[in-house]
Amino acid sequence: MISLEEREKELALLQSQIKQVKAEIGKVIVGQEEVIEQLIWAMVAEGHALLEGMPGVGKTMLIRTISDVMDLSFSRIQFTPDLMPSDITGTKMIELQDDGKQSFVFHEGPIFANVVLADEINRATPKTQSSLLEAMAEKTVTIMGETRKVAAPFFVLATQNPIDMEGTYPLPEAQMDRFLLKINMGYPSKQDLYEIINRTTGVESAKPDKVMNQETIIKIQQSVKEILVSDEMVDYAVKLIMATHPGDEHASDKVKQYVRYGVGPRGLQSLIRIAKARAFCAGRFHVSKGDIKQTAFPVLRHRLFLNFEGEASGVEVDDILKDVMQHID
């Protein structure tokens, strides 16, 4: 059994490796520090993330770069209206054996990788989107009655275009709830655009180093679970979740007016998991109120459903979450 001092040294080493990962990603991706940080939170908390942004802002390149830096197997699925579930999970096919007999042989789909990029996930039909559900929730895939485990660690990092764009299908609520975070990726700043041109239109292109591996990530995931959460912080998180319910006595006026359904228990679990991840990445061993406040937006924004008045008025979910936090404070 290792001593407390040795354990602290081990944790400090793991935390320094996360900083190295950010630095290597920064060689390829210009700006977007908040987006990168939130993606790392999701991965060290054993969760999946959904990136939303306009085409061309670097969502796909960011996810591919993260898999390269962490030395993880990578597969990309381009979601289109004609994509079928078997194109994702794989299928059994009849093949001729050496002895002349025919037998079913399973051919793995792209879901069997450490990092699965579900590119433009909302351009496929709900039937195809739902083929990811079992893998995201149970880390298994069932094909023709046979259950197979996916790789470990396993992450689905999906991108989607804003829902009002042509040719998109809204993700079902059950599918949205499987994502630990929904991350909004905006346009780069003016200064970042100059840097993007300098890096991408010359002769040489930046190549990040691999600074992590599967074993290290699994160690970090286990260490994140050990981060301490006081009763006071749990109480604050519970109050925050309850305040999103329009029928709750402590709900704010905005919630009562614009919200149809509040955040469920999975949202509370996700909030604590991501708060632990943020604390760990910041080099701390306990969750603070700031961790919960800063992680509430990406964790809860896709779990709060507006009513007709809220959607017709163009109310932003993030504004309602700000109002909720001010109200309970």
Side-chain angles (χ1 to χ4, degrees):
M1 191 169 180
I2 63 173
S3 66
L4 180 61
E5 185 179 352
E6 289 174 330
R7 180 58 176 156
E8 286 180 351
K9 284 182 180 179
E10 184 182 5
L11 290 174
L13 178 61
L14 293 174
Q15 289 164 341
S16 69
Q17 285 183 293
I18 290 176
K19 292 179 181 177
Q20 289 178 339
V21 167
K22 292 178 185 176
E24 291 302 317
I25 293 170
K27 291 181 180 179
V28 178
I29 304 298
V30 178
Q32 306 291 0
E33 288 86 0
E34 188 176 342
V35 174
I36 294 168
E37 193 168 22
Q38 291 177 6
L39 269 176
I40 292 173
W41 294 347
M43 295 178 80
V44 301
E46 297 185 63
H48 314 287
L50 177 66
L51 270 75
E52 181 173 292
M54 297 296 287
V57 294
K59 302 185 295 295
T60 301
M61 181 179 285
L62 170 57
I63 293 172
R64 185 182 289 275
T65 303
I66 286 178
S67 68
D68 288 341
V69 171
M70 292 186 172
D71 197 16
L72 298 172
S73 61
F74 174 84
S75 66
R76 178 176 181 264
I77 308 168
Q78 183 64 52
F79 278 67
T80 56
D82 60 346
L83 190 74
M84 298 299 292
S86 59
D87 297 329
I88 296 172
T89 60
T91 188
K92 287 186 176 181
M93 301 180 69
I94 296 177
E95 289 189 2
L96 190 66
Q97 303 300 314
D98 294 337
D99 57 4
K101 294 181 180 179
Q102 292 181 335
S103 62
F104 279 105
V105 177
F106 178 69
H107 289 260
E108 290 186 349
I111 196 74
F112 292 92
N114 295 124
V115 176
V116 178
L117 167 57
D119 213 359
E120 296 187 303
I121 189 172
N122 60 336
R123 292 196 181 277
T125 60
K127 176 184 178 181
T128 303
Q129 292 171 7
S130 65
S131 64
L132 289 170
L133 281 175
E134 182 189 354
M136 291 173 70
E138 311 296 336
K139 307 286 178 70
T140 58
V141 176
T142 303
I143 296 135
M144 295 177 68
E146 188 176 342
T147 301
R148 299 169 183 269
K149 285 191 173 183
V150 296
F154 174 71
F155 311 104
V156 173
L157 303 179
T159 70
Q160 76 169 6
N161 301 130
I163 202 62
D164 52 352
M165 290 192 70
E166 189 175 349
T168 59
Y169 296 84
L171 288 176
E173 287 82 355
Q175 179 85 45
M176 291 286 284
D177 204 33
R178 291 300 192 282
F179 287 104
L180 201 57
L181 299 181
K182 182 187 176 188
I183 303 168
N184 293 334
M185 192 166 177
Y187 284 114
S189 66
K190 181 181 177 182
Q191 193 60 42
D192 288 340
L193 287 173
Y194 282 117
E195 183 62 26
I196 288 170
I197 292 299
N198 292 334
R199 291 193 192 183
T200 58
T201 58
V203 177
E204 295 184 0
S205 58
K207 291 184 179 179
D209 296 325
K210 300 181 189 298
V211 295
M212 206 176 275
N213 55 36
Q214 297 176 20
E215 290 181 6
T216 305
I217 294 170
I218 291 171
K219 275 185 185 178
I220 291 173
Q221 290 174 340
Q222 189 58 42
S223 300
V224 166
K225 293 177 182 177
E226 298 171 9
I227 296 294
L228 301 174
V229 187
S230 67
D231 292 341
E232 183 185 356
M233 293 302 100
V234 173
D235 186 53
Y236 180 79
V238 170
K239 284 180 179 177
L240 180 59
I241 298 301
M242 291 303 297
T244 65
H245 298 173
D248 189 78
E249 59 180 339
H250 300 297
S252 67
D253 292 336
K254 273 191 177 181
V255 170
K256 291 176 181 177
Q257 183 177 0
Y258 296 121
V259 175
R260 185 182 182 190
Y261 299 118
V263 180
R266 191 181 282 137
L268 175 61
Q269 293 171 326
S270 301
L271 185 59
I272 295 298
R273 285 168 62 189
I274 291 295
K276 283 185 173 187
R278 183 179 188 268
F280 182 86
C281 293
R284 288 180 281 106
F285 304 112
H286 66 278
V287 170
S288 68
K289 188 179 283 190
D291 292 324
I292 295 174
K293 284 186 172 184
Q294 291 300 314
T295 56
F297 294 98
V299 172
L300 304 182
R301 63 166 58 109
H302 58 299
R303 306 175 197 273
L304 200 67
F305 300 101
L306 303 179
N307 57 22
F308 177 77
E309 185 180 355
E311 291 181 355
S313 304
V315 175
E316 294 288 337
V317 172
D318 282 13
D319 291 336
I320 291 179
L321 289 173
K322 285 179 187 175
D323 183 64
V324 166
M325 279 187 272
Q326 290 173 356
H327 185 70
I328 65 172
D329 282 341

